[in-house]
């Protein structure tokens, strides 16, 4: 397989209009791209996008992981925007994570991964 240049992580929702304010609060800004009336996107990092798409059949089943350099800062910012404060939990010796579940059951997990040398990425 040829290496991908861009990754789009899809999050299906039953109703885009109802879900959009929650995701704007979670991600701290309006969508970067409005594709159409049923799909919007946020640039999460170089080459990585979170796509919120109206798809009632698949709604509530997404698992998305976003690596951040400082999980405590990310969780504090999320809580400051009115989203329920996620619980930070250890992930073995690999780092920590803070899963956030949207009103439909999709899980967006913020992670801070550390290497054995304590280098964060």
């Amino acid at each position: 397989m040829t290496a991908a240049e861009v990754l789009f992580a899809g999050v299906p929702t039953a109703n885009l209009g109802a879900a959009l304010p929650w995701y704007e609060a979670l991600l701290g800004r309006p969508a970067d791209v409005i594709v159409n009336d049923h799909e919007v996107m946020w640039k999460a990092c170089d080459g990585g996008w979170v796509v919120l798409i109206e798809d009632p059949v698949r709604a509530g089943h997404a698992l998305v992981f976003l690596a951040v350099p400082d999980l405590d800062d990310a969780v504090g910012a999320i809580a400051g925007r009115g989203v329920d404060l996620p619980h930070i939990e250890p992930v073995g010796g690999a780092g920590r994570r803070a899963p956030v579940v949207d009103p439909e059951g999709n899980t967006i997990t913020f992670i801070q991964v550390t290497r054995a040398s304590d280098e964060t990425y």
Side-chain angles (χ1 to χ4, degrees):
M1 178 176 118
T2 303
E5 294 179 354
V6 179
L7 173 68
F8 296 91
V11 179
T13 182
N15 182 306
L16 182 65
L20 192 54
W22 190 90
Y23 277 89
E24 289 174 339
L26 177 71
L27 299 171
R29 65 184 194 276
D32 295 311
V33 176
I34 299 171
V35 178
N36 56 45
D37 290 343
H38 305 285
E39 183 177 354
V40 298
M41 303 187 317
W42 286 265
K43 186 172 185 175
C45 62
D46 288 339
W49 293 79
V50 174
V51 181
L52 184 62
I53 186 163
E54 195 167 287
D55 185 345
V57 174
R58 292 185 176 98
H61 299 286
L63 295 172
V64 174
F65 296 83
L66 299 169
V68 295
D70 188 321
L71 189 58
D72 295 314
D73 283 351
V75 167
I78 291 166
R81 294 190 293 264
V83 176
D84 289 341
L85 183 65
H87 174 72
I88 296 175
E89 54 193 49
V91 183
R96 304 178 307 146
R97 66 180 166 204
V100 182
V101 180
D102 78 7
E104 293 182 288
N106 295 302
T107 302
I108 312 299
T109 301
F110 293 85
I111 62 173
Q112 181 178 359
V113 179
T114 54
R115 295 182 181 181
S117 67
D118 291 330
E119 180 182 343
T120 303
Y121 59 99

